[in-house]
Amino acid sequence: MATSAPGESLLKYDTPILITKTPSVKPQKGRSQKSSATLPSDNAPVPPAPKQKSASAEATSKQNEDILNAIFPPREWTEGNQLWMQKVSTTPCSRSEVLALEEQLDTKLQQRQAREAGLCPARRELFSQFFDELIRQETINCAERGLLLLRVRNEIQLTMATYNTLYESSVAFAIRKALQAEQDKADIGNRITELEQETHELKKQLSEQMAKYDAIEKSENEKNELQEKKHKEEIQFLKSANHELKTQLEMIITPKK
């Protein structure tokens, strides 16, 4: 039960009825303690006697009214210490009223700046009220047709609820994936930083090893050059000594004339 008066709706309702009221003064004896809003005024004109209806017509009308109240239960709200109730209207609509309803729908769509296409909660709410009013009108004329339209409305609402669930699930899934992608991106960024640091260290070690290699190679080359020079000198010395020995040997072996 609402605590304030409900807003306007395209679904047609009867005049609100005051259910309970806390009296501010003590009621006089012999008078009913019910609110005067629910009692006819003494000066009010007496309504004409209703035309006699057949029992079948009255039973059909009562059945349609019960079905209508079952489809659209009366709404209740409180204002201060007063409890109000408002039932859906059971008055049939004329062609002019249907045209006026269409104009009212267009006006409300413009007032609430409803979008013409795509998802729009305002347009959906107004068309839902508009469809409820059509169900009310058809239920008054033919309860069976009204119940069929009710099944159509319930199926549409069930389909929309399913779409909403799928949409919310897809949004939640997309958010999770986006967060996971951000986390993966951060992890990859950290990994890239670590690999860059590792690469820098490896390059530094490589430079150090290359410097050591160059130093060792230079040292070995100098040693090889020195040894080669020494070997050449030794070979030259040995050749000279061999030449001298050979000369001396020839002088000894060759007889003097």
Coordinates of all heavy atoms in Angstrom, one line a residue, residues 81-145:
N81 N -4.1 10.7 8.1 CA -4.7 9.6 8.8 C -5.9 9.1 8.0 O -6.8 8.4 8.6 CB -5.2 10.1 10.2 CG -6.2 11.3 10.1 OD1 -6.4 11.8 9.0 ND2 -6.7 11.8 11.2
Q82 N -5.9 9.3 6.7 CA -7.0 8.9 5.9 C -6.5 7.8 4.9 O -5.4 7.9 4.3 CB -7.5 10.0 5.0 CG -8.2 11.1 5.9 CD -8.6 12.3 5.1 OE1 -8.3 12.4 3.9 NE2 -9.5 13.1 5.7
L83 N -7.3 6.8 4.7 CA -7.0 5.7 3.8 C -8.0 5.8 2.6 O -9.2 5.8 2.8 CB -7.2 4.3 4.5 CG -7.0 3.1 3.6 CD1 -5.6 3.0 3.1 CD2 -7.3 1.8 4.4
W84 N -7.4 5.9 1.5 CA -8.1 6.0 0.2 C -8.0 4.8 -0.6 O -7.0 4.1 -0.6 CB -7.7 7.2 -0.6 CG -7.9 8.5 0.1 CD1 -7.1 9.1 1.1 CD2 -9.1 9.4 -0.1 NE1 -7.7 10.3 1.5 CE2 -8.9 10.5 0.8 CE3 -10.2 9.3 -0.9 CZ2 -9.8 11.5 0.8 CZ3 -11.1 10.4 -0.8 CH2 -10.9 11.5 0.0
M85 N -9.0 4.5 -1.4 CA -9.0 3.4 -2.3 C -9.6 3.8 -3.7 O -10.5 4.6 -3.7 CB -9.8 2.2 -1.8 CG -9.8 0.9 -2.7 SD -10.8 -0.5 -2.1 CE -12.4 0.2 -2.4
Q86 N -9.0 3.3 -4.7 CA -9.5 3.7 -6.1 C -9.5 2.4 -6.9 O -8.5 1.7 -7.1 CB -8.5 4.7 -6.7 CG -9.0 5.3 -8.0 CD -8.1 6.4 -8.5 OE1 -6.9 6.4 -8.2 NE2 -8.6 7.4 -9.2
K87 N -10.7 2.1 -7.5 CA -10.9 1.0 -8.3 C -10.8 1.4 -9.8 O -11.0 2.6 -10.2 CB -12.2 0.3 -8.1 CG -12.4 -0.3 -6.7 CD -13.7 -1.0 -6.6 CE -13.9 -1.7 -5.3 NZ -15.2 -2.4 -5.2
V88 N -10.4 0.4 -10.6 CA -10.4 0.7 -12.0 C -11.8 0.9 -12.6 O -12.7 0.3 -12.1 CB -9.7 -0.5 -12.7 CG1 -10.5 -1.8 -12.7 CG2 -9.3 -0.1 -14.2
S89 N -11.9 1.8 -13.5 CA -13.2 2.1 -14.0 C -13.8 0.9 -14.8 O -13.1 0.2 -15.5 CB -13.1 3.3 -15.0 OG -14.3 3.6 -15.5
T90 N -15.1 0.8 -14.6 CA -15.9 -0.3 -15.4 C -16.8 0.4 -16.4 O -17.7 -0.3 -17.0 CB -16.7 -1.1 -14.4 OG1 -17.6 -0.2 -13.7 CG2 -15.8 -1.8 -13.4
T91 N -16.5 1.6 -16.7 CA -17.3 2.3 -17.7 C -16.8 2.1 -19.1 O -15.6 2.3 -19.4 CB -17.4 3.8 -17.5 OG1 -17.8 4.0 -16.1 CG2 -18.3 4.6 -18.4
P92 N -17.6 1.6 -20.1 CA -17.1 1.4 -21.4 C -16.7 2.8 -22.0 O -17.1 3.8 -21.6 CB -18.3 0.8 -22.2 CG -19.2 0.3 -21.1 CD -19.0 1.2 -19.9
C93 N -15.8 2.7 -23.0 CA -15.3 3.9 -23.7 C -15.9 4.0 -25.1 O -16.2 3.0 -25.8 CB -13.8 3.8 -23.8 SG -12.9 4.1 -22.3
S94 N -16.2 5.2 -25.5 CA -16.7 5.5 -26.8 C -15.5 5.7 -27.8 O -14.3 5.8 -27.4 CB -17.5 6.8 -26.7 OG -16.8 7.9 -26.3
R95 N -15.8 5.9 -29.0 CA -14.8 6.1 -30.0 C -14.0 7.4 -29.8 O -12.8 7.4 -29.9 CB -15.4 6.1 -31.4 CG -14.4 6.2 -32.6 CD -15.1 6.1 -33.9 NE -14.2 6.3 -35.0 CZ -13.8 7.4 -35.5 NH1 -14.2 8.6 -35.0 NH2 -12.9 7.5 -36.5
S96 N -14.7 8.4 -29.4 CA -14.1 9.7 -29.1 C -13.1 9.6 -28.0 O -12.0 10.2 -28.0 CB -15.1 10.8 -28.9 OG -15.9 10.4 -27.7
E97 N -13.5 8.8 -26.9 CA -12.6 8.6 -25.8 C -11.3 7.9 -26.2 O -10.2 8.1 -25.6 CB -13.3 7.9 -24.7 CG -14.4 8.8 -24.0 CD -15.2 8.0 -23.0 OE1 -15.2 6.8 -23.1 OE2 -15.8 8.7 -22.1
V98 N -11.5 6.9 -27.1 CA -10.3 6.1 -27.6 C -9.4 7.1 -28.3 O -8.1 7.0 -28.2 CB -10.7 5.0 -28.5 CG1 -9.5 4.3 -29.1 CG2 -11.6 4.0 -27.7
L99 N -9.9 7.9 -29.2 CA -9.1 8.9 -29.9 C -8.4 9.9 -28.9 O -7.3 10.2 -29.1 CB -10.0 9.7 -30.9 CG -10.6 8.8 -32.1 CD1 -11.5 9.7 -33.0 CD2 -9.5 8.2 -32.9
A100 N -9.2 10.3 -27.9 CA -8.6 11.2 -26.9 C -7.5 10.4 -26.1 O -6.5 11.1 -25.8 CB -9.7 11.6 -25.9
L101 N -7.6 9.1 -25.9 CA -6.6 8.4 -25.2 C -5.3 8.3 -26.1 O -4.2 8.5 -25.6 CB -7.1 6.9 -25.0 CG -6.1 6.0 -24.4 CD1 -5.6 6.4 -23.0 CD2 -6.6 4.5 -24.3
E102 N -5.5 8.2 -27.4 CA -4.3 8.2 -28.3 C -3.6 9.6 -28.2 O -2.4 9.6 -28.2 CB -4.7 7.9 -29.7 CG -3.6 7.8 -30.7 CD -4.0 7.5 -32.1 OE1 -5.3 7.4 -32.3 OE2 -3.2 7.3 -33.0
E103 N -4.4 10.6 -28.3 CA -3.8 12.0 -28.2 C -3.1 12.2 -26.8 O -2.0 12.8 -26.7 CB -4.9 13.0 -28.3 CG -5.5 13.1 -29.7 CD -6.5 14.1 -29.9 OE1 -6.8 14.8 -28.9 OE2 -7.1 14.2 -31.0
Q104 N -3.7 11.6 -25.8 CA -3.1 11.7 -24.4 C -1.7 11.0 -24.4 O -0.8 11.4 -23.8 CB -4.0 11.2 -23.4 CG -3.5 11.4 -21.9 CD -4.5 10.8 -20.9 OE1 -5.5 10.2 -21.3 NE2 -4.2 11.0 -19.6
L105 N -1.7 9.8 -25.0 CA -0.5 9.0 -25.1 C 0.6 9.8 -25.8 O 1.8 9.9 -25.3 CB -0.7 7.7 -25.8 CG 0.5 6.9 -26.1 CD1 1.2 6.4 -24.8 CD2 0.2 5.7 -27.0
D106 N 0.3 10.4 -27.0 CA 1.3 11.2 -27.7 C 1.8 12.4 -26.9 O 2.9 12.8 -26.9 CB 0.7 11.7 -29.0 CG 0.4 10.5 -30.0 OD1 1.0 9.5 -29.8 OD2 -0.5 10.7 -30.8
T107 N 0.8 13.1 -26.2 CA 1.2 14.2 -25.4 C 2.2 13.8 -24.3 O 3.2 14.5 -24.0 CB -0.1 14.9 -24.8 OG1 -1.0 15.3 -25.8 CG2 0.3 16.1 -23.9
K108 N 1.9 12.7 -23.6 CA 2.7 12.3 -22.5 C 4.1 11.8 -23.0 O 5.1 12.0 -22.3 CB 2.1 11.1 -21.7 CG 0.9 11.6 -20.8 CD 0.4 10.5 -20.0 CE -0.6 10.9 -18.9 NZ 0.0 11.8 -17.9
L109 N 4.1 11.2 -24.2 CA 5.4 10.9 -24.8 C 6.3 12.1 -25.0 O 7.5 12.1 -24.8 CB 5.2 10.1 -26.1 CG 4.7 8.7 -26.0 CD1 4.3 8.1 -27.3 CD2 5.7 7.8 -25.3
Q110 N 5.6 13.2 -25.5 CA 6.4 14.4 -25.7 C 6.8 15.1 -24.4 O 7.9 15.6 -24.3 CB 5.5 15.4 -26.6 CG 5.3 14.9 -28.0 CD 4.4 15.9 -28.8 OE1 3.9 16.9 -28.2 NE2 4.1 15.5 -30.0
Q111 N 5.9 15.1 -23.4 CA 6.2 15.7 -22.1 C 7.4 15.0 -21.5 O 8.2 15.7 -20.9 CB 5.0 15.7 -21.2 CG 3.8 16.6 -21.7 CD 2.6 16.5 -20.8 OE1 2.5 15.6 -20.0 NE2 1.7 17.4 -21.0
R112 N 7.4 13.7 -21.5 CA 8.5 12.9 -20.9 C 9.7 12.7 -21.8 O 10.7 12.1 -21.4 CB 8.0 11.6 -20.4 CG 6.8 11.7 -19.4 CD 6.4 10.4 -18.8 NE 7.5 9.8 -18.1 CZ 7.3 8.7 -17.4 NH1 6.1 8.1 -17.3 NH2 8.3 8.1 -16.7
Q113 N 9.6 13.4 -23.0 CA 10.8 13.3 -23.9 C 11.2 11.9 -24.2 O 12.4 11.5 -24.1 CB 11.9 14.2 -23.4 CG 11.6 15.6 -23.2 CD 12.8 16.4 -22.7 OE1 13.8 15.9 -22.3 NE2 12.6 17.7 -22.6
A114 N 10.2 11.0 -24.5 CA 10.5 9.6 -24.7 C 11.2 9.5 -26.1 O 10.8 10.2 -27.1 CB 9.2 8.8 -24.7
R115 N 12.1 8.6 -26.2 CA 12.8 8.4 -27.5 C 12.0 7.6 -28.4 O 11.2 6.7 -27.9 CB 14.2 7.7 -27.2 CG 15.2 8.6 -26.6 CD 16.5 7.8 -26.4 NE 16.4 6.9 -25.3 CZ 17.4 6.1 -24.8 NH1 18.6 6.3 -25.4 NH2 17.2 5.3 -23.8
E116 N 12.1 7.8 -29.7 CA 11.3 7.1 -30.7 C 11.8 5.7 -31.0 O 11.1 4.9 -31.4 CB 11.2 7.9 -32.0 CG 10.5 9.3 -31.8 CD 10.5 10.0 -33.1 OE1 10.9 9.5 -34.1 OE2 9.9 11.1 -33.1
A117 N 13.1 5.5 -30.7 CA 13.7 4.2 -31.0 C 14.7 3.8 -29.9 O 15.1 4.7 -29.2 CB 14.3 4.2 -32.4
G118 N 15.0 2.6 -29.8 CA 15.9 2.1 -28.8 C 15.3 1.9 -27.5 O 14.0 2.0 -27.3
L119 N 16.1 1.6 -26.5 CA 15.6 1.4 -25.1 C 15.2 2.8 -24.5 O 16.0 3.7 -24.5 CB 16.7 0.7 -24.3 CG 17.1 -0.7 -24.7 CD1 18.2 -1.2 -23.9 CD2 15.9 -1.6 -24.7
C120 N 14.0 2.8 -24.0 CA 13.5 4.0 -23.3 C 12.5 3.6 -22.2 O 11.4 3.2 -22.5 CB 12.9 5.0 -24.3 SG 12.2 6.5 -23.6
P121 N 12.9 3.7 -20.9 CA 12.0 3.3 -19.8 C 10.7 4.1 -19.8 O 9.6 3.6 -19.5 CB 12.8 3.6 -18.6 CG 14.3 3.5 -19.1 CD 14.2 4.1 -20.4
A122 N 10.8 5.4 -20.2 CA 9.6 6.3 -20.2 C 8.6 5.8 -21.2 O 7.4 5.7 -20.9 CB 10.0 7.7 -20.4
R123 N 9.1 5.5 -22.4 CA 8.2 5.1 -23.5 C 7.6 3.7 -23.2 O 6.4 3.5 -23.4 CB 8.9 5.0 -24.8 CG 8.0 4.7 -26.0 CD 8.8 4.7 -27.3 NE 9.4 3.4 -27.5 CZ 10.7 3.2 -27.5 NH1 11.5 4.2 -27.3 NH2 11.2 2.0 -27.6
R124 N 8.4 2.9 -22.6 CA 7.9 1.5 -22.2 C 6.8 1.6 -21.2 O 5.8 0.9 -21.2 CB 9.1 0.7 -21.7 CG 8.7 -0.7 -21.3 CD 9.9 -1.5 -20.7 NE 9.5 -2.7 -20.1 CZ 10.3 -3.5 -19.4 NH1 11.5 -3.1 -19.2 NH2 9.9 -4.7 -18.9
E125 N 7.0 2.5 -20.2 CA 6.0 2.6 -19.1 C 4.7 3.2 -19.6 O 3.6 2.7 -19.3 CB 6.6 3.6 -18.0 CG 5.6 3.8 -16.9 CD 6.1 4.8 -15.9 OE1 7.3 5.3 -16.0 OE2 5.3 5.2 -14.9
L126 N 4.8 4.2 -20.5 CA 3.6 4.8 -21.1 C 2.8 3.8 -21.9 O 1.6 3.6 -21.9 CB 3.9 6.0 -21.9 CG 4.4 7.2 -21.0 CD1 4.8 8.4 -21.9 CD2 3.3 7.7 -20.1
F127 N 3.5 3.0 -22.8 CA 2.9 2.0 -23.6 C 2.3 0.9 -22.8 O 1.3 0.3 -23.2 CB 3.8 1.5 -24.7 CG 3.8 2.3 -26.0 CD1 4.7 3.3 -26.2 CD2 2.9 2.1 -26.9 CE1 4.7 4.1 -27.3 CE2 2.8 2.8 -28.1 CZ 3.8 3.8 -28.3
S128 N 3.0 0.6 -21.7 CA 2.4 -0.4 -20.8 C 1.1 0.0 -20.2 O 0.1 -0.7 -20.1 CB 3.4 -0.7 -19.7 OG 2.9 -1.7 -18.8
Q129 N 1.0 1.3 -19.8 CA -0.2 1.9 -19.3 C -1.3 1.9 -20.4 O -2.5 1.6 -20.1 CB 0.0 3.3 -18.7 CG 0.9 3.3 -17.5 CD 1.2 4.7 -17.1 OE1 0.6 5.7 -17.6 NE2 2.1 4.9 -16.1
F130 N -0.9 2.2 -21.6 CA -1.8 2.3 -22.7 C -2.4 0.9 -23.0 O -3.6 0.8 -23.3 CB -1.0 2.8 -23.9 CG -1.9 3.0 -25.2 CD1 -2.8 4.0 -25.3 CD2 -1.7 2.1 -26.2 CE1 -3.5 4.2 -26.4 CE2 -2.5 2.3 -27.4 CZ -3.4 3.3 -27.5
F131 N -1.5 -0.1 -23.0 CA -2.0 -1.5 -23.2 C -2.9 -1.9 -22.1 O -3.9 -2.6 -22.4 CB -0.8 -2.4 -23.3 CG -1.1 -3.7 -24.0 CD1 -2.2 -3.9 -24.8 CD2 -0.3 -4.8 -23.7 CE1 -2.5 -5.1 -25.4 CE2 -0.6 -6.1 -24.3 CZ -1.7 -6.2 -25.1
D132 N -2.6 -1.6 -20.9 CA -3.5 -1.9 -19.8 C -4.9 -1.3 -20.0 O -5.9 -1.9 -19.7 CB -3.0 -1.4 -18.4 CG -1.8 -2.3 -18.0 OD1 -1.6 -3.4 -18.5 OD2 -1.0 -1.8 -17.1
E133 N -4.9 0.0 -20.5 CA -6.2 0.6 -20.7 C -7.0 -0.1 -21.8 O -8.2 -0.3 -21.8 CB -6.0 2.1 -21.1 CG -7.2 2.8 -21.6 CD -8.3 2.9 -20.5 OE1 -8.1 2.7 -19.3 OE2 -9.5 3.2 -20.9
L134 N -6.3 -0.6 -22.9 CA -6.9 -1.3 -23.9 C -7.5 -2.7 -23.4 O -8.6 -3.1 -23.8 CB -6.0 -1.6 -25.1 CG -5.5 -0.4 -25.9 CD1 -4.5 -0.8 -27.0 CD2 -6.7 0.4 -26.5
I135 N -6.7 -3.3 -22.5 CA -7.2 -4.5 -21.9 C -8.5 -4.2 -21.1 O -9.5 -5.0 -21.1 CB -6.1 -5.1 -21.0 CG1 -5.0 -5.6 -21.8 CG2 -6.7 -6.3 -20.2 CD1 -3.8 -6.1 -21.0
R136 N -8.5 -3.1 -20.3 CA -9.7 -2.7 -19.5 C -10.9 -2.6 -20.4 O -12.0 -3.1 -20.2 CB -9.4 -1.5 -18.8 CG -10.5 -1.0 -17.8 CD -10.3 0.4 -17.4 NE -10.6 1.3 -18.4 CZ -11.8 1.8 -18.8 NH1 -12.9 1.3 -18.2 NH2 -12.0 2.6 -19.8
Q137 N -10.7 -1.8 -21.5 CA -11.8 -1.6 -22.4 C -12.4 -2.9 -23.0 O -13.6 -3.1 -23.1 CB -11.4 -0.6 -23.6 CG -11.0 0.8 -23.1 CD -10.5 1.6 -24.2 OE1 -10.6 1.3 -25.4 NE2 -9.9 2.8 -23.8
E138 N -11.5 -3.8 -23.5 CA -11.9 -5.0 -24.1 C -12.5 -6.0 -23.1 O -13.4 -6.7 -23.4 CB -10.7 -5.7 -24.8 CG -10.2 -5.0 -26.0 CD -11.3 -4.8 -27.1 OE1 -12.1 -5.7 -27.2 OE2 -11.3 -3.8 -27.7
T139 N -12.0 -5.9 -21.8 CA -12.6 -6.8 -20.8 C -14.0 -6.4 -20.5 O -14.9 -7.3 -20.2 CB -11.7 -6.7 -19.5 OG1 -10.4 -7.1 -19.8 CG2 -12.3 -7.7 -18.5
I140 N -14.3 -5.1 -20.5 CA -15.7 -4.7 -20.3 C -16.6 -5.2 -21.4 O -17.8 -5.6 -21.1 CB -15.8 -3.1 -20.2 CG1 -15.0 -2.7 -19.0 CG2 -17.2 -2.6 -20.1 CD1 -14.8 -1.2 -18.9
N141 N -16.2 -5.1 -22.6 CA -17.0 -5.6 -23.7 C -17.0 -7.1 -23.9 O -18.1 -7.7 -24.1 CB -16.5 -5.0 -25.0 CG -16.6 -3.5 -25.0 OD1 -17.5 -2.9 -24.4 ND2 -15.6 -2.8 -25.7
C142 N -15.9 -7.7 -23.6 CA -15.8 -9.2 -23.8 C -14.7 -9.7 -22.9 O -13.5 -9.4 -23.1 CB -15.5 -9.6 -25.2 SG -15.3 -11.4 -25.5
A143 N -15.0 -10.4 -21.8 CA -14.1 -10.8 -20.8 C -13.1 -11.8 -21.4 O -11.9 -11.7 -21.1 CB -14.8 -11.5 -19.6
E144 N -13.5 -12.6 -22.3 CA -12.6 -13.6 -22.9 C -11.5 -12.9 -23.7 O -10.3 -13.3 -23.6 CB -13.4 -14.6 -23.8 CG -14.3 -15.6 -23.0 CD -15.6 -14.9 -22.5 OE1 -15.8 -13.7 -22.9 OE2 -16.3 -15.5 -21.8
R145 N -11.9 -11.9 -24.5 CA -10.9 -11.2 -25.3 C -10.0 -10.4 -24.4 O -8.8 -10.3 -24.6 CB -11.6 -10.2 -26.2 CG -10.7 -9.6 -27.2 CD -11.4 -9.1 -28.5 NE -12.5 -8.1 -28.1 CZ -13.8 -8.3 -28.4 NH1 -14.1 -9.4 -29.0 NH2 -14.7 -7.4 -28.0

